[in-house]
Amino acid sequence: MAAISRTAKSLKNSAVALALYFVQLVLQFFSRKVFLDRLGAEVLGLNTTATNLLQFLNLAELGIGAAIACTLYKPLFDDDREKINEIVSLQGWMYRRIATVVIAGSVVLMAFFPWIFAKMELPLWYAYASFGVLLFSALLGYFVNYKQVLLSADQKEYKIQYSYKTVMLVKLACQIAAIHYFDDGYLWWLVLEALFAVGAAAALTRVVRRTYPYLRTELSRGRELRRKYPDVTVKIKQLFFHKIGGFALTQTSPVIIYAYASLTLVALYGNYMLIIMGIVVLMGAVFNSINAGVGNLVAEGDRSRILSVFEELFSLRFLIATALCFGVYTLTPAFVTLWVGSEYLLDDMSLALMVATLYINLTRSTVDAYINAYGLFRDVWAPIVEAAINIGLSVLFGYFWGLHGILAGVLVSLLLVILMWKPYFLFRCGLHERVGRYVWMYVKHLAAFAGVWVMSKAAIGLVPLEPSESFGRFLLAGAVYMAIFSLCMTGALTIVSKGFRGSYRRFARMVR
C-alpha cells in the first residue's frame, strides 16, 4: 500500500510539474521575443549577465539543501516531528550564514561593476538595479523559502508548483505585458520581479504552515544542532566538491569550444544545445519529483522492494530516454532546417556524439536518485576526476579533431565516471548487491535498444514523409517516428526486463 501511495504521489507531482513546464516554456519564448523587440539585445544581455554573476555567488550554498533533504527522509517516514523541527532549524541557521557570505560577496562584486560593464552603452544604474533586484529575490530563498525542502522531501512537490511556481508564472506574464504596453518597460520588469518574489515567498510560507502546523524553527540553536547532527555537515562538505566539480564542468566546455572553433560553429552548436537542454529539462520535469519517493522507500528499509523498484524505475526511464534520443537524432536536422535554415546544420557525427551524451545524462537519473536517497556523497574525487578528464581530453582531442574531439572528450568523461563508476559505487556501498546484477540488467536493455533502433530506422525509411518540408509534416512525421520506436521498445522491454513488467503491473493496479 505504501508503494502504491508513493507511486500515486510521484505521478501527481510529475503531472503538475509537466503541465507548468509547458506553460513556462511558452511564456519564456514570448518573453525573450518581447524583450528583444522592445528593449534590445543589450538589456537582455545585461539581465543574463547579472543572473550568471548571481549564480556564481550562489555556489556558497554548498549543497546544503540536498544534504538536508536526504537527512529528512527518515524522520518524515517515522513522523518524528521533533527531529524534523531540529533539522529544518539547522538548515535555516546555515542559510543565514550563507546569506551573509552572499551579501558580502555581492557588495565586493558591485564595486567592480564600472569595470565589468565598461563596454555597456546603458547607464550604469541599470546594472546595479538589475543585480540588486535579482539578489533580493535570491536572498528570500535563504531567509524564507528554505522551508520548502520539507515539501520536496515529503513527496509534496506539487504544492510548491501550485504556490510558488504558479505565482512566478503569473509574474512572467505580467512582465511580458508591462514591457509590451508601458513606457520604461525594464523599470516595470524590475519592480514586478521584486513584488512577485515577495508574493511567491508569502504563498509558499502559507502552504508550508498549513501542511506542517507543528513546524517551529529555532535558529538560535544552530550551533547546538550542528553538533547534534554531524552527518549533515559531513554531507555538505562532500556535496561541495560535487557542486564545484559540476559547475566547472558545465562552464568550461563553451570556453574550449570557442578557443578551437569559429564563431559560426559555436552558433551552430548553440542551436543544437538549446534543443538538447529542452529535452533534459523535460525529463527532469517528469521524473525529478520521484526522487523523494525513492528516499521514502530507502527509509522504509525493505531491501527486496528497494531493488525491485530500482529495476522498475530504470526500465521506465530507459524507455523514455531512448525514445527521446531516437527522436532527437532522427528529427533534429529537419527541425533546424525549418527553424533557422539548412546552412545551420551540423554533420551527422557531431549530432551522434551529442545524442550519446544526452543518452547518458537521461539514463543516469535512476542511479543518481538512489545515491541521493542513501546520502552517498563521499566519492568527492569523482566530480574532480570527471571535470579533469572532460577538460583535459576536450583540449587534447579538440586540438586534433575540432568540435568532434571536444564532444568526444565530454563523452569519455561521462562514460568513465557516470556510466561505470556511479552504478558500481551505488551497488557496492548503498544497495550492497553484486554489481553483476546491474551489468546484466543494463546489457539486456542495451541489446534491446540496439535492435529496436535498427528496426525503427528501417521502418521510418518506408514512411512517405519528409519532415523538413513544413512544420505540419514535421509534427506528423515526429508522431509516427516516435510511435514506431516507442511501441517496438515497449515490446522489447516487456520481453527482456522483469522490472518493466513490474512497472506495468503497478500502473495497471492503480488504474483498476
Side-chain angles (χ1 to χ4, degrees):
M1 191 65 187
I4 298 296
S5 177
R6 277 190 292 265
T7 304
K9 289 178 180 178
S10 296
L11 287 174
K12 185 174 184 177
N13 287 332
S14 297
V16 174
L18 192 60
L20 291 182
Y21 163 78
F22 284 113
V23 174
Q24 183 179 13
L25 191 65
V26 172
L27 287 175
Q28 284 181 333
F29 172 80
F30 283 109
S31 175
R32 190 174 185 88
K33 179 173 176 57
V34 170
F35 224 110
L36 285 169
D37 291 345
R38 297 289 178 176
L39 301 177
E42 190 168 21
V43 178
L44 179 60
L46 167 64
N47 186 268
T48 303
T49 302
T51 302
N52 290 339
L53 290 172
L54 189 59
Q55 287 175 344
F56 176 76
L57 289 174
N58 281 333
L59 279 174
E61 196 268 345
L62 303 176
I64 293 173
I68 293 294
C70 70
T71 307
L72 280 169
Y73 291 142
K74 182 63 175 176
L76 281 169
F77 180 79
D78 296 334
D79 196 26
D80 189 339
R81 298 185 176 186
E82 180 182 356
K83 186 170 289 189
I84 291 171
N85 280 322
E86 290 178 344
I87 293 172
V88 176
S89 296
L90 176 59
Q91 182 193 17
W93 177 77
M94 289 180 168
Y95 266 20
R96 293 289 172 92
R97 294 166 66 88
I98 296 299
T100 303
V101 174
V102 171
I103 292 171
S106 299
V107 171
V108 173
L109 185 62
M110 285 190 287
F112 291 92
F113 273 18
W115 291 274
I116 294 174
F117 296 102
K119 297 180 180 180
M120 183 178 68
E121 296 181 3
L122 297 167
L124 190 58
W125 68 263
Y126 266 63
Y128 285 107
S130 300
F131 185 80
V133 168
L134 295 173
L135 175 63
F136 172 75
S137 300
L139 289 176
L140 286 175
Y142 291 114
F143 288 105
V144 181
N145 300 339
Y146 67 89
K147 295 177 184 178
Q148 68 177 299
V149 70
L150 262 177
L151 295 170
S152 298
D154 201 20
Q155 283 194 280
K156 293 182 172 66
E157 186 92 18
Y158 67 93
K159 293 191 175 185
I160 300 176
Q161 305 283 349
Y162 283 146
S163 57
Y164 184 84
K165 293 191 177 179
T166 300
V167 173
M168 300 309 283
L169 289 177
V170 175
K171 176 208 72 173
L172 190 54
C174 290
Q175 287 175 324
I176 293 171
I179 293 173
H180 185 75
Y181 292 109
F182 297 158
D183 294 331
D184 298 321
Y186 193 57
L187 287 178
W188 281 104
W189 189 94
L190 293 172
V191 170
L192 290 170
E193 183 75 22
L195 290 177
F196 274 94
V198 174
L204 184 60
T205 299
R206 184 170 178 267
V207 168
V208 172
R209 186 181 296 120
R210 293 181 63 180
T211 308
Y212 307 101
Y214 59 82
L215 184 63
R216 299 288 185 275
T217 54
E218 300 177 78
L219 305 189
S220 59
R221 297 181 58 200
R223 294 184 184 278
E224 169 198 341
L225 294 174
R226 187 178 63 176
R227 291 191 293 270
K228 184 174 181 179
Y229 297 98
D231 287 349
V232 174
T233 304
V234 171
K235 286 183 173 64
I236 290 170
K237 291 178 180 178
Q238 294 169 346
L239 281 164
F240 171 78
F241 288 94
H242 290 271
K243 193 167 184 179
I244 294 296
F247 181 82
L249 197 66
T250 56
Q251 295 302 315
T252 53
S253 292
V255 175
I256 299 170
I257 292 173
Y258 176 75
Y260 283 121
S262 67
L263 289 175
T264 301
L265 191 58
V266 172
L268 270 61
Y269 171 80
N271 291 336
Y272 278 65
M273 284 306 298
L274 282 175
I275 298 169
I276 287 177
M277 289 310 300
I279 297 296
V280 172
V281 173
L282 172 63
M283 191 75 162
V286 174
F287 283 111
N288 283 352
S289 57
I290 296 177
N291 293 347
V294 173
N296 181 269
L297 176 67
V298 169
E300 186 179 291
D302 187 333
R303 187 165 175 272
S304 63
R305 179 173 291 179
I306 289 171
L307 288 168
S308 66
V309 171
F310 177 89
E311 293 185 11
E312 291 177 24
L313 286 177
F314 181 88
S315 294
L316 184 60
R317 295 187 190 195
F318 191 88
L319 168 65
I320 298 175
T322 51
L324 290 172
C325 288
F326 181 80
V328 169
Y329 185 77
T330 55
L331 295 168
T332 292
F335 179 78
V336 171
T337 300
L338 292 170
W339 177 31
V340 290
S342 58
E343 65 272 20
Y344 291 95
L345 289 172
L346 288 173
D347 60 275
D348 288 343
M349 177 58 73
S350 295
L351 177 59
L353 289 168
M354 295 171 77
V355 171
T357 299
L358 174 64
Y359 163 80
I360 295 176
N361 283 325
L362 293 183
T363 55
R364 66 180 289 182
S365 53
T366 303
V367 171
D368 286 349
Y370 272 76
I371 284 176
N372 290 335
Y374 280 105
L376 294 174
F377 309 124
R378 63 178 179 268
D379 59 331
V380 296
W381 58 268
I384 298 173
V385 169
E386 182 184 359
I389 294 173
N390 181 306
I391 296 170
L393 291 185
S394 293
V395 170
L396 178 62
F397 293 170
Y399 178 79
F400 291 104
W401 300 298
L403 181 60
H404 292 170
I406 296 169
L407 296 175
V410 175
L411 182 59
V412 170
S413 70
L414 292 175
L415 285 170
L416 294 176
V417 178
I418 303 303
L419 196 63
M420 298 174 67
W421 162 252
K422 288 295 185 181
Y424 175 84
F425 181 49
L426 171 64
F427 270 72
R428 287 296 301 270
C429 302
L431 297 174
H432 299 291
E433 181 70 21
R434 292 179 297 104
V435 182
R437 177 172 178 171
Y438 175 81
V439 173
W440 175 236
M441 179 185 69
Y442 199 96
V443 167
K444 289 190 295 182
H445 282 72
L446 204 58
F449 176 35
V452 169
W453 184 288
V454 172
M455 289 189 297
S456 299
K457 286 288 287 182
I460 65 175
L462 303 176
V463 178
L465 285 172
E466 180 49 60
S468 61
E469 289 183 359
S470 67
F471 274 109
R473 286 183 173 272
F474 172 82
L475 293 174
L476 180 59
V480 173
Y481 292 178
M482 294 294 284
I484 290 172
F485 182 89
S486 299
L487 289 173
C488 292
M489 196 67 195
T490 299
L493 290 180
T494 301
I495 295 171
V496 305
S497 173
K498 178 182 176 182
F500 190 79
R501 294 192 295 272
S503 65
Y504 178 81
R505 287 192 296 270
R506 184 186 301 276
F507 288 120
R509 289 197 300 269
M510 290 187 62
V511 172
R512 292 198 299 267

